[in-house]
Amino acid sequence: MADVLFWSNLRQRLDGVLVEQQAMSISDYVQISTVVNTYLKATEVETAVEEVRQWVTAYVNRQLAVIARRLQKLERGPSLIDAYVAQWQYFAQASQALSGSLGQAVGFGMREAMAQAWYTTVLRRVAADVAAAMVALVDDARKDGGVDDPQLLSKLSCVLAELRPAYAPELSGGEPLGVYFAWYLEPYVWAAVRHVESRTGHLRTPGSTREYIRLVARLIDDEERRAEAYLRPESVESLRCVLAQRFVAGSLAAIHAEAEFMLAANSEDLRSVFCLLRRVPADRKAMQPLRDVFRAYVAQHTLAAMPSLAELNPNEASVSSLAFARNAVDWLIAELNRLRAMTARCFDDDRGFNQSLVAGLREALNSKKFLSKGHPQLEAPRLLAGYFGLLLQTDSALALELAAAHPTGFENAVESRARDALQLCELVDSKDKLMYHYRSLLARRLVTDSSANVDLERTVVAMLTPLTGIGNTNRINDMLTDMNLSHTLFADYRPSMTLGSLNVSVKVLNHILWCGNLSSELSRALIVPRQVSAACDEFVGVYNSRYRSASGNSRNLQWLWAYSKATIQLYFPHSVGRVAQTGYTLVVNAYQLAILALFTDSSCLGSAAQQLTPADISLHIKLRLDAVKSELAVLARAGILVSNQSSDAVMMNSSFNSRRLRIDISGIKRMRQETVTETAKIDSYVDSERYLQIQSAVMKEMKRCLSIHHTRLLNLVTTRYESKFLVERTVFKRVIGVLLDDKYIRHKEGDLNIYEYIA
């Protein structure tokens, strides 16, 4: 009788929970626990606990079957989804409370058992109807733009995800959301696939690739946004992978081919291509071909679009003046900024595409085709060195423009431009050649007093140091220090000298630091006017009285007349106007001074010459004939000298007149730049230096390894000098050939690719 009363009492209490779905308080669940505990204590039967568990499980299954039949009768639509969500939410709360109240009495695991009962009895019966209702709602959303109650689908995804694979062993398979994926996500995904397929199927033809890319990208974006609103966040990736595999991975070849045309046309559709390809799994390597296409585009477009010399130098200035360097480097900086903006806009600033951009621009700057735009001096290292020179030269057009635009922030403006140019310097392989040209132009700026600011020079050198290495910039710093010492030294000597009416300024420079950067071949034996020669001798005497070599001998001072200039007052007998009494102030170089002295200073030839041939002038002043003719041409263009019509002799123009009282014909500005010949000498010097460095590196590696393969040796040498220059295979083979001929190394017997060191 007690058993009948117990089961009846338990059924009555459980009916209130599962059938009537009344709001149960904590005390109600405590009473259920009390009833069960009292029964188990009164019944001393070992199987009583298992009997209660089985009875409760069977009872729950019967009640869930009723709920399932009720849900099956509903129409496939929002009402079915709403009812399912509401039933599950109540059952989940009730099962949690019941498992808490019955757990201690009948053992733990009641909640898991009840969840598994829900899956078996309810979900398996109505899952297809619920999924169909969900798909119908989403299809309506695709047509109308949204559902009336988007939270409904989100609630459904949440309640389905609460059923873990442990409750459904046949669906687990290692998927953390196995039940959810099988009964909800999978129908959703394939509905999305059917939708995209229906919209894009007609575009899978060769001529419609671009339209296909646009539409697929837009549709997949829409599906992902819709999924983020309707699905659980961790399940969106599953949808993305399926769509990418279905609509992108199968068309990779066509998409990559179309991307080349898009790049050529600078199309905004590139972003659609990128968005599609990044959805493809990484193991398919779908993005790398697009990066390769982008790199090739950057290299080819830069070479094709690079202006020619005529476009860079519209005023037809001398190529040696580097007037075109500013236009060329500014164009390259603008092109780099444009490509970076494209990378950010179309490729989301992806690291791989930035690397492709750098690789493509590096390929263009170091290509031999870069030199075919009109003149060999368009080589990238010289262009960049010339650009730095224009920035730091006081009277260059670029420096003057910056000074006018930034009167109080000139240094900052120069540093900003220098940083822009450094971006290109990083891409140049021949950094050693860049620094040779930089030193050559720096030497001319310092010697001709045209450097904007020594502190600014040091700042730019500090910016170059991390890029080119401290070995390349130490010598530049030493040159700047040496120039500063020269100014201090002459300031100390000046009071000790009696130079009469001459106002002299002398720079004493260290031959070791400056010998490779300043040319002195033309000026070693030049005969200058007696006053200048006396001043030079006096300075040498004062200098040697204070400084002597370690052996006690006087130091050897060599005058660099090519970089010297003088300001003189010259009178012309038949000049008219006010200048007849005051004369003209001429700024001339040392060569011109020596030539004019032959016509105006009686001490040179015993009497002032009336006319002289170029050969006579060359003989008297000890200057090479071609240099004499070059300076005579300058003086003739200025109108100071005139030619004898009956011979090749020249004479002073006694009737010279000019509107300007001060005339500069020294050509010092030309001396601040490298000539074509000097550029060729630098190239030759750099090539010989590289040869010696490669030879030294090969011998060091051979001594260290004793035996080494050709390819490994080449890689080691290339790595050693990659921050300075690119080791060319032809030069490397020439070095190896010389070392083999001179018996420093030999081929390994039986393998010509392995070298052995001969001790």
Side-chain angles (χ1 to χ4, degrees):
M1 186 65 181
D3 290 352
V4 175
L5 291 175
F6 166 71
W7 297 118
S8 175
N9 190 12
L10 182 58
R11 182 184 297 109
Q12 181 181 359
R13 294 183 183 280
L14 291 178
D15 283 345
V17 177
L18 298 177
V19 180
E20 300 174 9
Q21 297 188 359
Q22 300 172 353
M24 304 291 288
S25 64
I26 296 178
S27 62
D28 294 329
Y29 288 107
V30 172
Q31 288 178 10
I32 295 175
S33 178
T34 303
V35 169
V36 175
N37 285 326
T38 303
Y39 171 73
L40 293 177
K41 289 181 181 179
T43 306
E44 297 180 358
V45 180
E46 295 181 358
T47 59
V49 174
E50 184 61 30
E51 183 181 0
V52 173
R53 286 175 61 88
Q54 291 179 1
W55 186 91
V56 172
T57 303
Y59 176 83
V60 170
N61 281 326
R62 287 196 300 274
Q63 300 309 318
L64 292 179
V66 175
I67 294 174
R69 287 193 295 272
R70 190 184 306 147
L71 292 173
Q72 285 177 313
K73 293 179 181 179
L74 297 175
E75 184 180 355
R76 293 181 176 180
S79 59
L80 173 59
I81 296 175
D82 196 20
Y84 178 85
V85 171
Q87 288 293 337
W88 164 257
Q89 289 176 340
Y90 180 81
F91 179 76
Q93 295 173 1
S95 62
Q96 180 179 3
L98 286 173
S99 64
S101 61
L102 297 175
Q104 294 181 354
V106 299
F108 296 99
M110 281 301 299
R111 186 178 181 184
E112 289 75 10
M114 295 178 72
Q116 189 170 356
W118 175 274
Y119 168 75
T120 305
T121 308
V122 179
L123 181 58
R124 294 189 64 176
R125 295 185 184 184
V126 302
D129 294 337
V130 172
M134 173 270 300
V135 170
L137 283 178
V138 177
D139 283 340
D140 291 340
R142 293 187 179 102
K143 297 175 184 177
D144 303 332
V147 296
D148 295 335
D149 184 9
Q151 295 298 321
L152 185 61
L153 294 178
S154 298
K155 292 177 182 177
L156 177 61
S157 68
C158 291
V159 301
L160 285 173
E162 292 177 10
L163 285 171
R164 297 299 177 181
Y167 313 142
E170 72 273 18
L171 295 177
S172 57
E175 174 63 49
L177 297 175
V179 175
Y180 166 75
F181 186 88
W183 294 120
Y184 179 59
L185 181 60
E186 191 171 4
Y188 184 101
V189 168
W190 289 111
V193 170
R194 288 194 299 273
H195 171 68
V196 177
E197 182 69 41
S198 66
R199 298 286 303 277
T200 61
H202 67 287
L203 296 176
R204 292 198 172 187
T205 56
S208 305
T209 304
R210 185 169 301 191
E211 188 176 352
Y212 174 82
I213 290 171
R214 294 174 188 159
L215 186 56
V216 168
R218 181 171 59 81
L219 290 174
I220 292 180
D221 282 341
D222 291 343
E223 289 300 328
E224 289 181 359
R225 285 194 296 269
R226 193 174 292 115
E228 289 173 356
Y230 301 155
L231 305 181
R232 291 181 63 78
E234 56 266 44
S235 61
V236 177
E237 185 62 30
S238 300
L239 171 70
R240 182 180 294 118
C241 290
V242 172
L243 293 177
Q245 187 67 28
R246 189 66 176 261
F247 299 103
V248 182
S251 306
L252 287 179
I255 292 174
H256 291 147
E258 188 64 27
E260 293 190 46
F261 296 104
M262 292 181 182
L263 279 168
N266 196 16
S267 173
E268 293 297 327
D269 292 327
L270 279 171
R271 177 161 182 78
S272 299
V273 175
F274 174 73
C275 292
L276 286 179
L277 295 182
R278 70 178 175 183
R279 291 178 168 89
V280 179
D283 58 350
R284 293 296 303 272
K285 297 182 179 179
M287 199 67 76
Q288 189 56 44
L290 181 59
R291 294 190 181 110
D292 294 339
V293 167
F294 183 59
R295 179 193 56 76
Y297 160 76
V298 171
Q300 295 169 7
H301 174 78
T302 302
L303 289 173
M306 177 74 182
S308 65
L309 179 62
E311 295 169 318
L312 293 171
N313 194 21
N315 297 327
E316 298 184 357
S318 171
V319 174
S320 63
S321 70
L322 280 180
F324 61 87
R326 173 190 175 180
N327 295 331
V329 175
D330 281 346
W331 184 91
L332 288 170
I333 292 172
E335 181 68 7
L336 175 60
N337 292 334
R338 183 189 72 83
L339 292 170
R340 283 184 171 167
M342 175 190 288
T343 305
R345 184 178 67 254
C346 299
F347 307 124
D348 283 352
D349 219 7
D350 179 78
R351 180 180 178 184
F353 281 93
N354 279 319
Q355 292 174 345
S356 297
L357 165 60
V358 169
L361 202 55
R362 183 190 301 275
E363 180 181 336
L365 287 177
N366 297 289
S367 170
K368 293 183 178 179
K369 294 180 180 179
F370 192 78
L371 308 181
S372 64
K373 304 299 291 189
H375 198 280
Q377 289 196 327
L378 276 173
E379 191 177 15
R382 185 171 186 271
L383 280 178
L384 291 166
Y387 188 80
F388 284 115
L390 295 175
L391 277 176
L392 298 169
Q393 183 176 308
T394 51
D395 55 355
S396 71
L398 178 56
L400 293 174
E401 286 180 18
L402 291 178
H406 308 277
T408 60
F410 173 71
E411 289 80 3
N412 292 334
V414 171
E415 289 179 27
S416 177
R417 289 294 190 97
R419 278 191 293 270
D420 291 339
L422 280 175
Q423 299 178 68
L424 299 176
C425 293
E426 293 177 3
L427 307 178
V428 174
D429 289 337
S430 302
K431 294 183 178 63
D432 56 340
K433 186 177 291 187
L434 166 66
M435 295 311 296
Y436 276 114
H437 286 296
Y438 187 95
R439 285 204 304 269
S440 175
L441 296 175
L442 170 67
R444 287 161 170 76
R445 287 198 301 276
L446 295 177
V447 168
T448 58
D449 295 321
S450 60
S451 175
N453 188 322
V454 174
D455 291 335
L456 198 55
E457 294 276 8
R458 291 189 183 276
T459 300
V460 175
V461 171
M463 296 167 68
L464 286 167
T465 300
L467 183 63
T468 61
I470 194 170
N472 282 319
T473 54
N474 271 347
R475 184 171 178 180
I476 295 178
N477 283 317
D478 291 343
M479 290 169 64
L480 292 171
T481 302
D482 191 51
M483 181 58 68
N484 186 45
L485 290 175
S486 174
H487 291 312
T488 304
L489 180 142
F490 185 74
D492 292 340
Y493 288 169
R494 187 68 179 85
S496 304
M497 300 176 64
T498 57
L499 301 175
S501 60
L502 294 182
N503 185 10
V504 178
S505 176
V506 180
K507 297 181 179 70
V508 181
L509 305 177
N510 189 319
H511 176 75
I512 296 176
L513 295 176
W514 300 78
C515 62
N517 302 306
L518 297 175
S519 175
S520 60
E521 288 80 358
L522 297 178
S523 57
R524 291 177 180 173
L526 181 71
I527 298 177
V528 294
R530 184 171 302 176
Q531 280 183 297
V532 176
S533 177
C536 293
D537 292 341
E538 182 181 355
F539 176 81
V540 171
V542 173
Y543 180 84
N544 286 332
S545 67
R546 298 192 181 186
Y547 289 95
R548 292 186 176 276
S549 64
S551 60
N553 298 323
S554 60
R555 294 183 177 181
N556 181 24
L557 295 182
Q558 178 180 324
W559 294 95
L560 299 181
W561 297 115
Y563 302 97
S564 303
K565 67 177 181 177
T567 302
I568 60 176
Q569 200 76 12
L570 195 60
Y571 298 88
F572 296 88
H574 300 114
S575 294
V576 295
R578 57 176 179 164
V579 295
Q581 301 298 325
T582 60
Y584 291 94
T585 301
L586 301 182
V587 181
V588 296
N589 60 42
Y591 303 151
Q592 295 166 350
L593 178 65
I595 292 172
L596 291 175
L598 296 177
F599 296 95
T600 59
D601 189 352
S602 59
S603 62
C604 294
L605 299 176
S607 62
Q610 296 297 319
Q611 60 181 15
L612 292 169
T613 64
D616 294 335
I617 295 173
S618 175
L619 179 65
H620 288 305
I621 66 175
K622 305 299 182 184
L623 184 63
R624 220 167 53 198
L625 182 60
D626 58 339
V628 170
K629 290 181 178 180
S630 175
E631 299 300 337
L632 288 177
V634 174
L635 293 169
R637 283 197 299 270
I640 297 172
L641 295 181
V642 293
S643 300
N644 188 331
Q645 296 180 355
S646 60
S647 65
D648 63 345
V650 294
M651 65 185 73
M652 289 291 294
N653 181 10
S654 59
S655 302
F656 175 79
N657 281 287
S658 175
R659 294 181 180 180
R660 294 179 297 165
L661 298 180
R662 181 182 176 90
I663 305 172
D664 187 348
I665 58 173
S666 63
I668 290 297
K669 291 184 178 180
R670 298 196 309 272
M671 300 175 191
R672 296 170 188 166
Q673 310 297 338
E674 298 170 352
T675 64
V676 176
T677 303
E678 289 169 339
T679 300
K681 287 182 179 179
I682 288 179
D683 292 343
S684 176
Y685 179 74
V686 169
D687 290 340
S688 63
E689 282 288 303
R690 288 180 181 179
Y691 179 87
L692 294 176
Q693 292 179 42
I694 293 172
Q695 188 179 67
S696 173
V698 168
M699 289 304 298
K700 288 179 181 178
E701 295 298 338
M702 291 302 305
K703 289 180 180 180
R704 184 175 64 87
C705 299
L706 298 182
S707 178
I708 190 171
H709 193 277
H710 174 89
T711 304
R712 174 165 170 73
L713 180 60
L714 175 60
N715 291 337
L716 289 172
V717 175
T718 301
T719 303
R720 179 186 289 266
Y721 294 116
E722 62 183 356
S723 64
K724 295 182 178 180
F725 58 87
L726 183 65
V727 176
E728 297 182 6
R729 292 178 179 270
T730 54
V731 179
F732 180 79
K733 289 181 179 180
R734 184 153 53 92
V735 168
I736 293 296
V738 171
L739 294 177
L740 287 170
D741 293 341
D742 292 345
K743 308 298 183 183
Y744 288 104
I745 61 176
R746 65 189 174 197
H747 290 293
K748 182 179 180 180
E749 186 175 353
D751 192 346
L752 296 179
N753 290 321
I754 297 179
Y755 306 117
E756 294 179 338
Y757 176 67
I758 301 176

